[in-house]
Amino acid sequence: MSEKSADQSRLPLLEIRKLKMYFPVKGGVFMTAKAQCKAVDGVSLVIRAGETVGLVGESGCGKSTLGKCIVRLNQPTSGEILFDGADLAKLSRSEMKPHRRNIQMIFQDPADSLNSRHTVGNILEEPFIVHGIGSEAERRARVNELLRTVGLPAGAAERFPFEFSGGQRQRIGIARAIALNPRLVVCDEPVSALDVSIQSQVLNLMLDLQRELKLSYLFIAHDLAVVKHISDRIVVMYLGHVVETASAEEIYRSPRHPYTRALISAIPVPNPRKHRDRIILQGDVPSPINPPSGCPFHTRCPHVQERCRVEKPALRTVATTAGIEQQVACHFDL
Amino acid sequence: MPDPSAPLLEVRDLVTAFDTDAGQVRAVDGVSFVVHKGKTLGIVGESGCGKSVTALSINRLLPKPMGKILGGQVLFEGQDLTQLSPEQMLKVRGARIGMIFQEPMTALNPLHRIGRQLSEIFLLHKTKDPREALAMSVEMLRLVGIPSPEIRVSEYPHQLSGGMRQRVVIAIALACKPALVIADEPTTALDVTIQAQILELMKNLQREMGMSIVLITHDLGVIAEVCDEVVVMYAGRIAERGPVLEIFENPKHPYTRGLLQSIPRLDSPRKVKLNTIEGMVPGLLDLPTGCRFQNRCPHRNARCAEVQPTVESVGDHHDVACHRWRELSPLEVRS
């Protein structure tokens, strides 16, 4: 990569190298580890300053686990998460704390991720208290400012989360995430629980905030139209592996991996005149406890060859458009 | 002699209400539509718009005693389902009307083997012989594309994946070759590649068996893929209904237009502001007089605040409930 010559915004903000997250599968009388669930199995990716990276894949592909590793809600098994000169994967709880200001998270279900016994004001004030920022009056002023920023009335501070609709609660979740001026926000399915008409309101808010606060997003979602709308670059995961990455435009215009192609062709298009030839994948995603040999996708791939069953394909660069590389983990040029 | 061109199902002015601590709320308030033989009708709308309650009312599965049908008719195969006794309804439900639910894990009993759950419906409606019922179950699983059905029939729901479980639910719904299947968000809990499998399966089975489908969803993409006719609901009432092409290419109701304009599309420009429908759906307990969409409507005027619009014809089986539809310019919808 030509980062040396590139301007400041091209520098990586976060770099993940060969990250693995294995969960023990316990069983037997003594609950000893019987097997390992390889949720994330050697993922490398880069997020640059001001960039939105969309992370897509089906349930169980490891996309949420990867997001949780970055904010260290999971302790990765191996690999590196480089941020601000430190390797987050190796830090202790207390060493991690100063970095938490810079990396925040927005969760899928705002009803579950907000404490229902606290007022919205208390919920939004907590990050400042935890990090010892400002006097009480200053904190209150900042809370009101946050509410205004995300489009909620100032009176909202005195009320409880259940008094708000789903879309408003997600605004509270966003306000909490941006409270400490983070540089990276990990968004795990932030609009999946919302109705269509509310979804677009929240997406607009997230785009505005990115511009104003120079945020970088890791946007995890399964709705590809939403991901494409908000992302600069898209990473496609399958069974704990990255199978393809490219610019948002390119991945829709010319997807190279057979899984990406199937995924895109499976999206129902809101146009009754367009009935495309669909690639319908057979079968289900294999279990990450007992992943297939060779290419993780070979059990469902329409182009499978003998080589795919034995040899795991590495990510390789196949094209570069507008400075963004397109990388594919497939043995063949399809 | 029944008229072969007559609709299979006709819902007329259906009113369904729930008793709550704060009073009675009308979740469905005067909804009418028809479903033709062998066709698919989509009902689309946001959470709380009454689309699921409409489905439960047709099938008489409303939670008791809070939910009740206050008025209207559900005409199906020559009888008004709202007037049937619970015993008479048992002969319709499962046999003539099948139901597919959103969450296959909660729709199936985790304690019983797949075979037993499928056999149950055959034992109720088709045969007295448990062995024959089991054989029919295996055949049904084969029909919905479950590999090695003779083995799967003796497994429990947790041993199947989400997509396979939904196939089992579909097998149960179709077991007695019903004339009508009501599918309430059948693919919402599934991944896109599995969703594509299930929608394809439903289309193929419809072609083979000729049943009608009422498909309830919030996903306009799914509607466009599989439906012939569409009903758009808002706050318990019909906003617009018509053939799928009309609804997508010539939408008249400001709500339908807002929905179509606010969804991000694969071929639309990235990172630009999406159109939005400002504000939120009013609560069913404090509905405004007049049009229920008025607080979010960019075209509202004084009349909208006073008079509730009635459903009127735009032409070509296309109806809309809006005072101002004639004044709105044609909508530019991206393809």
Side-chain angles (χ1 to χ4, degrees):
Chain A
M1 260 179 240
S2 58
E3 266 140 17
K4 276 174 207 137
S5 59
D7 60 315
Q8 190 69 22
S9 69
R10 307 287 299 156
L11 286 177
L13 174 72
L14 178 92
E15 187 172 357
I16 296 173
R17 287 188 192 153
K18 297 198 176 107
L19 193 78
K20 290 186 180 175
M21 180 71 233
Y22 293 177
F23 294 99
V25 179
K26 289 177 181 164
V29 185
F30 299 105
M31 292 308 276
T32 47
K34 292 266 171 194
Q36 283 179 316
C37 172
K38 299 177 176 177
V40 176
D41 201 5
V43 166
S44 302
L45 71 90
V46 169
I47 302 173
R48 298 189 179 85
E51 184 185 43
T52 302
V53 174
L55 190 56
V56 297
E58 297 179 89
S59 6
C61 74
K63 56 189 195 299
S64 290
T65 306
L66 184 69
K68 285 183 184 163
C69 285
I70 295 173
V71 294
R72 278 289 302 277
L73 289 173
N74 284 332
Q75 166 75 59
T77 311
S78 71
E80 293 166 69
I81 304 170
L82 304 175
F83 182 82
D84 235 2
D87 178 5
L88 303 185
K90 312 245 169 3
L91 299 185
S92 70
R93 252 180 101 93
S94 56
E95 288 168 333
M96 183 66 199
K97 193 176 162 190
H99 293 287
R100 291 197 187 278
R101 287 187 64 166
N102 289 319
I103 307 181
Q104 287 289 323
M105 185 146 182
I106 301 171
F107 297 90
Q108 172 170 3
D109 193 339
D112 286 343
S113 60
L114 300 172
N115 190 329
S116 53
R117 290 175 177 271
H118 285 241
T119 62
V120 171
N122 283 341
I123 289 170
L124 295 183
E125 201 184 339
E126 200 175 357
F128 300 104
I129 298 172
V130 168
H131 289 274
I133 298 167
S135 66
E136 196 175 338
E138 282 166 356
R139 293 198 300 258
R140 294 279 165 186
R142 186 80 180 98
V143 165
N144 286 333
E145 197 185 316
L146 279 171
L147 288 172
R148 209 168 34 246
T149 312
V150 299
L152 289 171
E158 313 305 320
R159 290 154 66 192
F160 289 90
F162 68 82
E163 297 177 67
F164 295 89
S165 69
Q168 288 175 319
R169 274 187 229 148
Q170 197 56 294
R171 285 173 193 267
I172 299 168
I174 291 171
R176 179 176 60 182
I178 61 165
L180 299 171
N181 282 323
R183 288 194 277 161
L184 174 66
V185 181
V186 176
C187 321
D188 191 1
E189 304 266 9
V191 295
S192 310
L194 307 177
D195 275 317
V196 184
S197 73
I198 306 298
Q199 218 174 59
S200 52
Q201 294 176 3
V202 172
L203 288 173
N204 282 349
L205 172 67
M206 291 182 66
L207 285 170
D208 285 344
L209 290 174
Q210 176 165 46
R211 230 167 283 135
E212 282 163 36
L213 307 171
K214 312 249 179 310
L215 295 173
S216 300
Y217 289 133
L218 178 66
F219 194 95
I220 304 168
H222 68 274
D223 184 334
L224 284 101
V226 167
V227 174
K228 193 229 164 190
H229 181 76
I230 200 161
S231 303
D232 300 297
R233 216 149 49 79
I234 289 179
V235 175
V236 184
M237 279 184 75
Y238 186 80
L239 212 61
H241 296 78
V242 172
V243 295
E244 182 160 7
T245 162
S247 73
E249 296 294 347
E250 211 51 34
I251 216 153
Y252 287 96
R253 203 178 306 131
S254 60
R256 305 286 183 113
H257 197 282
Y259 177 63
T260 317
R261 288 182 182 176
L263 202 57
I264 290 171
S265 92
I267 308 168
V269 182
N271 180 346
R273 283 196 200 272
K274 260 193 201 168
H275 285 292
R276 293 163 309 168
D277 282 330
R278 181 145 290 169
I279 309 165
I280 299 215
L281 289 178
Q282 300 303 310
D284 294 303
V285 184
S287 162
I289 298 173
N290 189 14
S293 62
C295 174
F297 187 58
H298 87 249
T299 56
R300 298 172 82 197
C301 183
H303 309 284
V304 62
Q305 311 266 327
E306 196 43 50
R307 187 180 169 194
C308 308
R309 298 196 175 92
V310 284
E311 192 185 332
K312 189 181 278 187
L315 266 184
R316 62 193 171 91
T317 304
V318 289
T320 306
T321 352
I324 298 179
E325 292 181 36
Q326 181 164 18
Q327 296 182 308
V328 183
C330 180
H331 293 304
F332 305 100
D333 288 309
L334 298 167
Chain B
M1 191 64 194
D3 174 8
S5 67
L8 176 72
L9 173 77
E10 184 171 1
V11 175
R12 279 191 199 156
D13 287 319
L14 180 72
V15 179
T16 303
F18 287 88
D19 290 322
T20 70
D21 293 342
Q24 197 176 54
V25 291
R26 292 184 168 199
V28 175
D29 196 4
V31 163
S32 308
F33 56 84
V34 295
V35 182
H36 296 284
K37 291 199 178 83
K39 299 287 182 190
T40 302
L41 174 99
I43 304 182
V44 67
E46 297 176 69
S47 357
C49 74
K51 54 191 193 299
S52 292
V53 175
T54 303
L56 294 176
S57 306
I58 295 171
N59 227 347
R60 296 270 304 275
L61 285 172
L62 292 166
K64 285 176 191 166
M66 303 87 77
K68 47 175 109 42
I69 296 173
L70 291 187
Q73 293 171 303
V74 177
L75 304 170
F76 175 76
E77 295 192 324
Q79 41 190 354
D80 181 359
L81 299 187
T82 62
Q83 301 304 318
L84 297 190
S85 69
E87 292 72 32
Q88 289 171 312
M89 199 59 210
L90 283 179
K91 294 212 167 63
V92 176
R93 205 187 292 127
R96 302 303 301 156
I97 303 181
M99 182 104 189
I100 301 171
F101 298 91
Q102 172 172 354
E103 243 320 317
M105 196 62 217
T106 43
L108 296 172
N109 188 329
L111 299 179
H112 293 314
R113 295 174 200 275
I114 302 297
R116 176 164 171 191
Q117 305 193 42
L118 245 168
S119 297
E120 191 181 350
I121 193 149
F122 289 118
L123 290 171
L124 262 171
H125 298 288
K126 292 271 169 186
T127 174
K128 294 261 180 296
D129 178 6
R131 254 195 250 158
E132 195 188 349
L134 199 65
M136 288 167 134
S137 306
V138 173
E139 235 7 81
M140 206 60 220
L141 290 179
R142 200 188 312 279
L143 188 68
V144 297
I146 289 188
S148 40
E150 21 330 90
I151 299 168
R152 293 300 189 176
V153 81
S154 49
E155 289 190 341
Y156 290 92
H158 76 265
Q159 293 172 286
L160 305 182
S161 67
M164 285 296 151
R165 272 182 223 138
Q166 196 58 300
R167 284 174 193 262
V168 172
V169 174
I170 291 174
I172 294 174
L174 297 182
C176 292
K177 306 214 166 15
L180 175 69
V181 172
I182 301 174
D184 190 355
E185 306 264 10
T187 57
T188 306
L190 306 174
D191 281 313
V192 270
T193 63
I194 308 297
Q195 166 169 286
Q197 290 176 1
I198 296 291
L199 292 178
E200 188 74 12
L201 172 72
M202 286 174 62
K203 276 196 268 188
N204 289 341
L205 291 172
Q206 183 177 37
R207 215 170 297 136
E208 280 167 37
M209 302 167 69
M211 76 271 190
S212 306
I213 299 177
V214 172
L215 179 78
I216 295 167
T217 179
H218 65 279
D219 187 333
L220 289 161
V222 172
I223 293 273
E225 290 289 319
V226 299
C227 293
D228 303 297
E229 308 251 341
V230 186
V231 170
V232 182
M233 285 184 71
Y234 188 81
R237 295 182 69 91
I238 284 184
E240 188 161 7
R241 71 179 169 226
V244 67
L245 273 176
E246 273 289 292
I247 297 293
F248 278 80
E249 294 180 355
N250 190 22
K252 294 293 182 196
H253 199 285
Y255 175 62
T256 318
R257 296 156 72 104
L259 277 185
L260 285 168
Q261 286 179 310
S262 64
I263 42 175
R265 292 163 193 254
L266 287 178
D267 48 7
S268 60
R270 288 185 307 112
K271 294 199 126 175
V272 295
K273 279 234 163 187
L274 292 165
N275 285 305
T276 60
I277 305 175
E278 291 307 322
M280 318 182 270
V281 187
L284 289 175
L285 280 166
D286 47 10
L287 287 170
T289 44
C291 177
R292 295 184 177 181
F293 187 61
Q294 57 179 287
N295 64 325
R296 306 175 76 185
C297 185
H299 308 288
R300 68 175 166 267
N301 63 13
R303 189 157 167 238
C304 304
E306 284 155 22
V307 186
Q308 182 138 237
T310 51
V311 177
E312 48 187 287
S313 175
V314 173
D316 262 354
H317 307 287
H318 183 177
D319 308 298
V320 66
C322 174
H323 293 307
R324 307 204 60 197
W325 67 269
R326 283 186 183 82
E327 303 158 49
L328 306 183
S329 56
L331 182 74
E332 286 277 312
V333 178
R334 284 186 301 257
S335 57

